Amino acid sequence: VNRMIRVQGVYVVLVSEKSEALFPQIQLATPVFKKEFARRAGEIHPEGMIEGKLAPFQEAFEKAFALQPNLIYFLTRSRFDPALLQVVEGLNKDHKTHVNTLAFLREGKAFENPLKEMARKNGGTYKLVSAETLKPGAEEAAAATQTR
């Protein structure tokens, strides 16, 4: 979000037992918004058990695609039902929306491969966000994390 310019819009959907928008509508990436985003993002705490489920993830993607975005970032540390790949494919039939995926603090082929596939099929990129990239002073390391 910090790298976005003020004419770019941001809409964040959080996924737990249900999906919920962080803000009620698209927000422009102004300095005021970025400060509020950082504050709210710092207050987010995972809730519920969504590992391997479809419904909460599907609901979040439906909300995001309803806004007809150019780009969606999907960051998760939970496995999802493999049927989500078909759901996203159906929501993005025209391939107008790119979907970038990020594996957050979780590695392994079983977890990463579906994220890589989703990104590939939707014109996006995949990235692993590891504990190493999140260490204080690791900004350079985060920028250098290879896209797989």
Side-chain angles (χ1 to χ4, degrees), residues 96-136:
K96 289 184 179 179
T97 302
H98 296 275
V99 179
N100 290 343
T101 62
L102 298 99
F104 187 69
L105 300 176
R106 196 157 173 187
E107 298 180 50
K109 287 184 180 184
F111 179 71
E112 294 179 84
N113 286 346
L115 291 169
K116 290 178 182 179
E117 183 179 349
M118 182 183 291
R120 183 180 50 77
K121 286 185 172 182
N122 291 282
T125 59
Y126 165 81
K127 186 174 182 176
L128 170 65
V129 180
S130 67
E132 279 297 309
T133 62
L134 296 176
K135 287 183 178 176

Side-chain angles (χ1 to χ4, degrees), residues 1 10-14 20-23 33 37 44:
V1 170
V10 180
Y11 185 73
V12 179
V13 180
L14 306 173
E20 180 180 341
L22 192 57
F23 296 90
F33 164 76
F37 174 80
I44 297 170

Side-chain angles (χ1 to χ4, degrees), residues 1 7 16 25 43 52 55-56 75 77-78 83-85 93-94 96 104 111 115 125-126 145-146 148:
V1 170
V7 296
S16 58
Q25 59 196 23
E43 296 172 351
L75 177 136
R77 60 195 260 175
S78 296
L84 184 63
L85 295 170
K93 287 179 189 170
D94 57 12
K96 289 184 179 179
F104 187 69
F111 179 71
L115 291 169
T125 59
Y126 165 81
T145 300
Q146 292 183 342
R148 297 181 186 184

Side-chain angles (χ1 to χ4, degrees), residues 23-82:
F23 296 90
Q25 59 196 23
I26 293 176
Q27 303 289 309
L28 292 178
T30 63
V32 171
F33 164 76
K34 290 176 184 180
K35 189 174 182 176
E36 179 64 9
F37 174 80
R39 185 188 70 74
R40 288 190 186 188
E43 296 172 351
I44 297 170
H45 302 287
E47 295 177 8
M49 297 296 295
I50 60 172
E51 187 78 15
K53 293 184 178 180
L54 174 62
F57 294 103
Q58 180 173 344
E59 184 181 336
F61 273 103
E62 288 170 348
K63 286 179 180 181
F65 274 103
L67 298 170
Q68 300 177 338
N70 295 321
L71 175 64
I72 293 173
Y73 282 92
F74 177 45
L75 177 136
T76 186
R77 60 195 260 175
S78 296
R79 283 192 178 94
F80 49 84
D81 185 312

